[in-house]
Structure formats: structure tokens, C-alpha cells
Amino acid sequence: MSKRALVFPPNFKLVLYAMAVMCLVQVLGGIFGLSVYRFGIVPHNVHHLSGVLTAPFVHGSWGHLLSNLLGLSISGYLAARLPRFKRATFFIVVATGLLVWLFAGHANHIGASGIVMGYFGLLLGAALFNRDVLGIVSFIALLVLTYYANISFLATLFDFSAQTSSSSHIFGFLSGLCGAYLTKQKRIARR
């Protein structure tokens, strides 16, 4: 891996593009008065099943968006360094969205927090399942960065306040763990 890739992982561009789309959706929603809530996930409603793919790009306010952008920039940067990042991200987005659609309480679930928590789960899973230096250092870096950014991982994961989709947080974290297991590196048996 080159020095430049160590500082700026190429896969992080995808996270930055997604963040730019989130900002664009927020701006366009404000300018044109679009009802962004029609792009969310409403459990058991077939008309909102498309929200599995669109809900992470839609936010209820600028404060909601900015808090997700902070978490996404930290966890996304670290997760982008992992092998099979694209495959794991696709799994996290789809699995989190489907689990929310199937099992969450009746509400309109929007925002990227499920992906943020999915990256937390992915980084923890990479440290546990791969047991390599990159996975362990990435998870420790995540803990340190979120501590200094004043983000409490456990408080975010188990936030059951009315305005928060705790289902997205929990299902995202579990999807990240599963994604880490499914994309773990194969170990070669030593003799």
C-alpha cells in the first residue's frame, strides 16, 4: 500500500461522494420543499421498500445530517481501509434497510446512522474475525477518535429516544458485524 493510500484510502472517495449526495438532497429538499420523508423506510409498507436504498441519503434537518456526517466521516474513513470495503458496505446498507423494514416499529426511518453504526460493527468485526493489525488498529483508532469527538458509541447504539431510529442503530451494528464475518480474510493453515 502506498503512502498516499495510507493517508487517503481510495475507497474513502465513495464515502465522500455519498456524503455529498446527502448534502445535495438536503439542499434540494429545502429549496424545492420536497417531502423527503417519502424516501424513508416505513416498516411493512411495500410503497416504502425502496427506502432500503434511499433512506440513508435523507435527513430530517441540518442537525440530523451534520451529526451523521461526523460519524460517517470518522467510521467511513477507517472502514474504507479494510479489504472488501465495497462488498461490506453494500451488505450493511441492504441488510440494515431490510431488517428495519421487517422488524422496526411503525415510523418513517431516515438517515445514515444505520450505516455509521454498521461501520462501527464492521470495524469491531474486522478486529475480532481477522485478528490482524489493520483491523485491531482501525478499531482502536475508532474508539479514540469518537472519544475525542465526544461521541459515545454505546449511548448512540442504545439511544431509544423518540426522535431516534434505535432500530437502524442496532440493525446497522449487527449488519456490520455480519458483514465483517462474511468478508473476513481466509486464513491459510500453517503446518
Side-chain angles (χ1 to χ4, degrees):
M1 188 180 284
S2 71
K3 286 183 182 181
R4 180 180 172 140
L6 283 173
V7 175
F8 188 83
N11 284 330
F12 188 58
K13 287 181 193 174
L14 300 173
V15 176
L16 292 175
Y17 292 147
M19 291 167 57
V21 171
M22 291 173 198
C23 292
L24 182 64
V25 167
Q26 190 70 22
V27 167
L28 293 176
I31 292 173
F32 297 111
L34 299 174
S35 175
V36 294
Y37 291 100
R38 66 180 164 181
F39 299 108
I41 301 171
V42 177
H44 303 205
N45 184 326
V46 177
H47 300 293
H48 286 272
L49 187 57
S50 61
V52 166
L53 298 177
T54 59
F57 297 98
V58 179
H59 294 80
S61 68
W62 280 102
H64 181 206
L65 174 62
L66 292 174
S67 66
N68 278 334
L69 290 178
L70 176 62
L72 193 57
S73 62
I74 294 170
S75 61
Y77 175 80
L78 294 168
R81 303 166 147 300
L82 299 175
R84 299 181 188 90
F85 168 76
K86 293 174 191 171
R87 188 175 298 157
T89 296
F90 180 76
F91 179 82
I92 290 167
V93 170
V94 173
T96 301
L98 287 175
L99 288 169
V100 168
W101 190 80
L102 287 169
F103 301 113
H106 188 74
N108 195 331
H109 300 265
I110 58 173
S113 58
I115 296 172
V116 172
M117 297 310 292
Y119 285 155
F120 273 60
L122 179 66
L123 289 161
L124 174 61
L128 292 174
F129 303 132
N130 290 336
R131 288 186 239 149
D132 62 359
V133 173
L134 178 62
I136 294 168
V137 168
S138 294
F139 186 69
I140 291 170
L142 177 68
L143 294 177
V144 170
L145 288 171
T146 54
Y147 173 78
Y148 283 109
N150 203 22
I151 300 170
S152 172
F153 167 70
L154 289 176
T156 302
L157 181 61
F158 297 112
D159 182 356
F160 295 106
S161 58
Q163 73 276 9
T164 302
S165 175
S166 56
S167 302
S168 291
H169 291 187
I170 292 169
F171 291 141
F173 181 74
L174 294 174
S175 296
L177 281 174
C178 290
Y181 182 78
L182 294 172
T183 60
K184 71 180 178 178
Q185 297 174 3
K186 305 286 188 248
R187 294 209 173 261
I188 299 171
R190 293 183 184 157
R191 294 178 190 229

